[in-house]
Amino acid sequence: MRTGFREKKSGAAIRAFVAIAALFGALLVPARVLAAEDGVTMRRLYNRYTGEHFYTASVEEADSLEMRGWEYEGVGWYAPRSGAPVYHLYNPWVSGGDHHYTLSSVERTSLVAHGWRDEGVGWYSVLGEEGVPLYRQYNPYAVTGTHNYTTSSAERAHLLSAGWRDEGIGWRGAREGHGITDEEFAERARVQLGVPDLPSITYRIGTPYYWEGADIMLRPIAFYQDGKLVAFADCTLSGSLGRNIWGYTAP
């Protein structure tokens, strides 16, 4: 039996956030831009096939990408409603495409001159030296997903240790974001494993670990019915099934 699990109840309360339609699932929420009290919610998604992270304030865009196989990784940060514009550019000439984000109008002009598409202002940065820094890293060995932007100093340090180059601070947010909650993670896994939504169902979430074979982080989850193990899987951090999958079996 795995150790280090956290146990919580499954039920209608955790179903309220998401409904999963397929392996990766789509967030069935209104197509609108959500704003927190002190900023606009910026969602972060990951394409495991190209290695690219994508960031958007649009729920509709995030939903569309999830339905096409992107992994939802939660809220990257909260952007201010106004401030310095962060420009969004797209390179259609590489396999799978590539997106880039920059505060610099000079960099934007240079990329457009090299064939990138200008997709306008993606969001805004806090002016001056205040706010939460979004660290920018560059992968000189990649064709797509060449840049990563994160508020996490631990993530930045990990990428630098893997050969990425530190490019300083890309822009500044209003406050830090967060990954998906345990409840959201469990609900995604529950639906995909076919576990019924019953008061007698509980779950335990294990400690995340790195799966070197697929170059991804996984997080184990096990479901119990009246105390008996009925389903388990090691899922990606967004709650999609990864490995060691055992679908629901009634006790």
Side-chain angles (χ1 to χ4, degrees), residues 98-214:
D98 194 23
H99 297 84
H100 186 67
Y101 317 93
T102 180
L103 272 173
S104 170
S105 58
V106 173
E107 184 176 22
R108 176 187 62 169
T109 300
S110 175
L111 290 176
V112 170
H114 283 84
W116 290 63
R117 295 176 185 168
D118 185 353
E119 298 195 336
V121 176
W123 51 83
Y124 293 94
S125 171
V126 173
L127 296 171
E129 300 300 316
E130 300 298 322
V132 176
L134 270 292
Y135 302 112
R136 169 172 156 169
Q137 306 89 46
Y138 171 68
N139 185 347
Y141 309 107
V143 176
T144 61
T146 54
H147 283 86
N148 184 65
Y149 310 85
T150 179
T151 61
S152 170
S153 56
E155 182 180 1
R156 176 180 64 167
H158 171 73
L159 292 179
L160 296 184
S161 70
W164 291 61
R165 297 175 185 169
D166 188 358
E167 293 192 338
I169 296 173
W171 61 86
R172 293 178 181 273
R175 66 183 178 95
E176 290 190 23
H178 53 81
I180 67 172
T181 66
D182 286 351
E183 288 77 13
E184 295 161 12
F185 173 82
E187 177 65 0
R188 287 168 175 247
R190 183 192 70 78
V191 174
Q192 293 172 85
L193 289 169
V195 178
D197 187 6
L198 300 172
S200 59
I201 298 291
T202 61
Y203 64 86
R204 292 182 180 179
I205 298 175
T207 303
Y209 70 93
Y210 179 65
W211 181 19
E212 189 172 355

Side-chain angles (χ1 to χ4, degrees), residues 52 65 74 81 103 112 173 236:
E52 181 185 9
L65 290 175
R81 297 188 182 93
L103 272 173
V112 170
T236 65

Side-chain angles (χ1 to χ4, degrees), residues 39-107:
V40 177
T41 306
M42 298 302 305
R43 291 158 182 80
R44 169 171 155 154
L45 299 102
Y46 175 68
N47 187 330
R48 68 169 71 180
Y49 304 107
T50 65
E52 181 185 9
H53 281 94
F54 185 79
Y55 315 86
T56 179
S58 169
V59 174
E60 182 178 29
E61 187 170 30
D63 290 353
S64 175
L65 290 175
E66 276 206 280
M67 287 188 288
R68 289 157 55 189
W70 289 67
E71 294 277 349
Y72 175 65
E73 293 189 332
V75 178
W77 75 99
Y78 292 90
R81 297 188 182 93
S82 61
V86 177
Y87 303 110
H88 182 184
L89 300 108
Y90 176 69
N91 184 353
W93 306 110
V94 296
S95 178
D98 194 23
H99 297 84
H100 186 67
Y101 317 93
T102 180
L103 272 173
S104 170
S105 58
V106 173
E107 184 176 22

